[in-house]
Amino acid sequence: MVVNEIPKYSVLMSVYYKENPQYLNLSIDSMLNQTILPDEFILVEDGPLTPELIRVIKKHILNNPGLFKIIKNKKNLGLGLSLRKGIKVAKNEWIARMDSDDYSIPIRCEQQLQFIKQNPEYEMVGSFEAEFINNMDNVISIHKVPEKMEQIKQFMHRRCAVLHPTVMYKKSAVIRSGNYRNVPLYEDYDLFSRMVLEYNIKTYNIQKSLYYIRTSPDFYKRRGGIRYAGTVLRFKWNQHVKGYMSLTDFIISGLGQAGVCILPNSLRKLFYMKVLR
């Protein structure tokens, strides 16, 4: 890549059978209407899909010949292993993540690429995300994350400081850090902890909502229960064992989040809205 040139980029998305076809269509459209377009769209079909989802995908393939690279998993492998496959086959060094039911504003990738052009030492760039219910006019909260590398590193000891679907990162940086692994619910935190805390991958978060993430009335309910609390504790204890969290960080972050998981849903929602956002 020529220094200070806007790089080409790939989009990376994973889809599984429970996705809503209309949401998937909107999500793909949002990346095909960027002010700077991708020249590759990697879509991982994580197990067999419904006929409705297949129709949406085929429509976009026909309308954009040569753009899509489809990876088909014979069975559902989960997000981490699916994205791991996608990272490996990307033809471009820069990759923009996108979830299959959300929306990127038209200037999302342009703003990230402009930052990359002006700051070539950075290898991962994220942003804020706006959380909405039903339609994008109904934004219920803004998920904010720290801006600069030292702030991000400090934040990462207790919570993930990079919002997964907002990121644009270098393929080589992801692979150098060990790529995605099968860590259900924490594929992003697992990878980004290694990238930021172990491999010192230079990271920046644009302090704007370039991404709209879909939530629902049961969003907070899904983040509750004894089983979810157990997953939280196992993952964060492992972070402590690896040296990514101090014991104090684990007590505050791990035990604290596990406690929130077993709160009544109304109180858990209040905590997310008033404290974590």
Side-chain angles (χ1 to χ4, degrees):
M1 185 187 81
V2 178
V3 175
N4 291 332
E5 183 181 63
I6 293 286
K8 294 180 179 180
Y9 71 98
S10 303
V11 175
L12 175 57
M13 176 187 289
S14 178
V15 183
Y16 82 127
Y17 77 99
K18 288 186 178 181
E19 302 293 356
N20 181 305
Q22 291 180 325
Y23 297 166
L24 174 63
N25 188 60
L26 177 67
S27 178
I28 294 174
D29 273 343
S30 77
M31 296 307 286
L32 298 181
N33 287 293
Q34 291 293 303
T35 51
I36 297 179
L37 294 172
D39 75 340
E40 180 181 57
F41 199 121
I42 301 163
L43 196 152
V44 184
E45 296 182 3
D46 190 14
L49 302 181
T50 64
E52 294 79 13
L53 289 169
I54 291 170
R55 278 196 289 272
V56 170
I57 293 168
K58 284 185 175 179
K59 178 196 76 171
H60 286 290
I61 292 172
L62 288 172
N63 290 340
N64 300 275
L67 178 66
F68 282 82
K69 183 178 289 182
I70 306 298
I71 300 172
K72 294 177 183 282
N73 295 340
K74 291 182 180 180
K75 62 179 182 179
N76 182 266
L77 299 179
L79 183 62
L81 296 182
S82 295
L83 296 181
R84 183 180 182 91
K85 284 186 172 185
I87 291 285
K88 289 180 177 179
V89 303
K91 72 176 183 179
N92 292 311
E93 174 70 329
W94 282 98
I95 300 171
R97 270 284 290 123
M98 184 67 199
D99 274 349
S100 54
D101 56 354
D102 298 331
Y103 178 84
S104 288
I105 69 171
I107 62 169
R108 170 203 163 177
C109 292
E110 179 180 357
Q111 295 228 336
Q112 291 177 307
L113 291 166
Q114 288 289 357
F115 179 85
I116 290 160
K117 174 185 174 182
Q118 295 163 12
N119 302 273
E121 70 275 20
Y122 282 83
E123 297 185 273
M124 181 159 62
V125 182
S127 75
F128 294 170
E129 59 189 15
E131 299 178 339
F132 71 98
I133 293 177
N134 296 328
N135 66 77
M136 285 173 286
D137 293 328
N138 185 26
V139 172
I140 59 169
S141 64
I142 303 296
H143 194 166
K144 298 180 180 181
V145 278
E147 180 180 10
K148 297 179 181 177
M149 184 63 176
E150 287 308 310
Q151 298 168 319
I152 290 169
K153 289 176 78 170
Q154 186 64 32
F155 195 90
M156 194 71 80
H157 291 302
R158 294 185 182 176
R159 292 175 58 199
C160 191
V162 184
L163 302 177
H164 190 199
T166 75
V167 299
M168 187 175 281
Y169 44 30
K170 272 188 172 181
K171 172 180 178 174
S172 59
V174 174
I175 291 176
R176 187 163 78 248
S177 304
N179 208 338
Y180 286 95
R181 302 189 297 203
N182 186 29
V183 186
L185 303 181
Y186 285 104
E187 297 90 354
D188 52 348
Y189 198 175
D190 173 66
L191 173 62
F192 297 156
S193 293
R194 283 180 274 127
M195 292 180 73
V196 171
L197 298 176
E198 185 172 346
Y199 289 86
N200 203 36
I201 301 299
K202 205 152 188 196
T203 302
Y204 182 83
N205 283 317
I206 295 171
Q207 302 290 284
K208 299 177 185 176
S209 295
L210 303 180
Y211 191 90
Y212 280 65
I213 184 168
R214 191 180 301 276
T215 62
S216 64
D218 67 347
F219 175 84
Y220 306 99
K221 186 180 295 185
R222 295 198 306 268
R223 281 152 179 76
I226 297 296
R227 186 175 179 183
Y228 198 103
T231 300
V232 168
L233 288 173
R234 283 190 296 273
F235 174 76
K236 295 200 171 181
W237 179 254
N238 192 43
Q239 292 288 91
H240 167 62
V241 170
K242 289 186 291 188
Y244 298 157
M245 282 186 180
S246 68
L247 184 58
T248 300
D249 291 330
F250 170 75
I251 292 169
I252 293 172
S253 177
L255 295 180
Q257 187 177 351
V260 171
C261 289
I262 60 176
L263 288 174
N265 190 55
S266 59
L267 292 179
R268 184 164 52 252
K269 178 178 179 180
L270 186 65
F271 184 83
Y272 270 85
M273 298 285 288
K274 300 298 184 183
V275 179
L276 297 185
R277 296 298 181 264

